[in-house]
Amino acid sequence: MKTSLVFATNNQHKVDEIRAVAGDLFNIITIKEAGIDIDIPEPHDTLEANASEKSKTIHRLTGKNCFSEDTGLEVAALNGEPGVKSARYAGDGRNFQHNIDKLLLNLKGINNRKAQFRTVISLILDDKEYLFEGVCEGNISEEQKGLQGFGYDPVFVPDGAAISFAEMTMNEKNKYSHRKKAVAKLIAFLHDH
Ligand code: ITT
C-alpha cells in the first residue's frame, strides 16, 4: 500500500515542489489537511536539529508517520551564512525581498559568489527517525531575476544552468534542486523499507 506521510511545513511552495517529485509514489498530507494550525518551532542552530524538531512536533500532535525539511542557503564568502538563519536573515518579520537585499549588499564587490542550498529531511516512520540530505551548488548572481519559485530563487543560479531558479518552471528547478535530491533519497528509502 502507498505510504502516507504528514508533511510538517507551513510553506506551500515546498509542498508543491515535493508533490511534483513524489508523484504518486507516496501520499503527502499537509498539516492543514491534518487539522493542525501552528507555527512550527525552529529554535536550533543546525538544519538537522530544526528538521528533527519540526517532524517530532507534528508526530507528537498527530501520532502519524511524518516528515519535515529544513533548508538553508550557505554562501562561501559569508562563512556559510545565512545558513540556518535563511528565513530570518534580515530580521524577524522581514520578507524574502529584504533577505535578498541584505544578501546582495553583503556580497557587493565580492568576486567569490559560490553558494549552496542544503536541505535536510527528517522522516519519522514507525516511531524511528531517519535523516536525508540534498545539496545544490551554484552562484549568487549580481542582480535578481525571475518571478517563479520563492525565497532566494531570484539570485541563485545552479551549476550547469545559465538562469536563476526563479526563471525556471518548477519542473526545471527540480532537475537541479537540493530539495529534489533529498526527496529522491527519501523515495529510495521508502521503496526499500
Ligand atoms: P517551514 O514551515 O517548512 O519551516 P520555512 O519557509 O520557514 O518553512 P525553512 O526554515 O526551511 O522554511 O527555510 C528557510 C528559508 O530558506 C526560506 O524562508 C527561504 O527563504 C529559503 N529557502 C528554502 N528553500 C528554498 C528554495 O528552494 N529556494 C529559495 N529559497 C529557499
Side-chain angles (χ1 to χ4, degrees):
M1 206 181 68
K2 203 160 64 169
T3 310
S4 282
L5 298 173
V6 178
F7 185 8
T9 183
N10 282 309
N11 184 327
Q12 187 59 38
H13 293 281
K14 291 183 178 180
V15 177
D16 295 342
E17 286 186 10
I18 292 183
R19 275 191 171 143
V21 179
D24 53 10
L25 294 172
F26 66 94
N27 186 31
I28 295 176
I29 303 161
T30 63
I31 53 173
K32 222 186 246 163
E33 287 160 0
I36 293 170
D37 180 15
I38 58 160
D39 210 10
I40 313 171
E42 299 176 83
H44 304 291
D45 57 8
T46 64
L47 297 176
E48 285 78 4
N50 278 338
S52 244
E53 178 90 24
K54 288 192 263 191
S55 59
K56 284 177 184 161
T57 302
I58 296 306
H59 184 249
R60 250 194 322 273
L61 291 171
T62 62
K64 295 202 165 102
N65 291 328
C66 63
F67 75 104
S68 74
E69 65 103 290
D70 207 38
T71 296
L73 175 65
E74 301 170 340
V75 180
L78 302 176
N79 297 319
E81 287 212 339
V84 72
K85 291 181 292 195
S86 292
R88 299 170 304 278
Y89 190 39
D92 281 334
R94 312 306 301 273
N95 60 27
F96 288 150
Q97 189 57 53
H98 293 122
N99 289 338
I100 288 177
D101 291 345
K102 179 169 176 182
L103 180 66
L104 292 182
L105 191 66
N106 285 346
L107 284 177
K108 217 178 161 93
I110 295 178
N111 289 331
N112 176 8
R113 318 285 297 188
K114 280 191 181 310
Q116 63 178 30
F117 274 114
R118 194 162 71 86
T119 291
V120 175
I121 290 179
S122 160
L123 167 71
I124 299 185
L125 189 67
D126 301 331
D127 299 323
K128 279 200 211 100
E129 188 189 17
Y130 307 88
L131 296 177
F132 308 93
E133 183 187 67
V135 172
C136 176
E137 294 181 2
N139 282 278
I140 303 299
S141 52
E142 301 277 345
E143 285 169 18
Q144 66 185 83
K145 277 197 188 145
L147 298 169
Q148 318 279 335
F150 69 104
Y152 298 92
D153 281 346
V155 291
F156 186 84
V157 179
D159 286 351
I163 54 174
S164 78
F165 268 162
E167 294 176 285
M168 297 181 184
T169 62
M170 190 164 63
N171 286 337
E172 282 177 293
K173 178 179 173 183
N174 271 340
K175 284 187 200 150
Y176 302 93
S177 109
H178 42 296
R179 182 164 296 107
K180 149 75 195 293
K181 289 176 184 163
V183 173
K185 291 181 187 170
L186 168 67
I187 290 170
F189 173 85
L190 292 173
H191 185 261
D192 295 342
H193 195 71

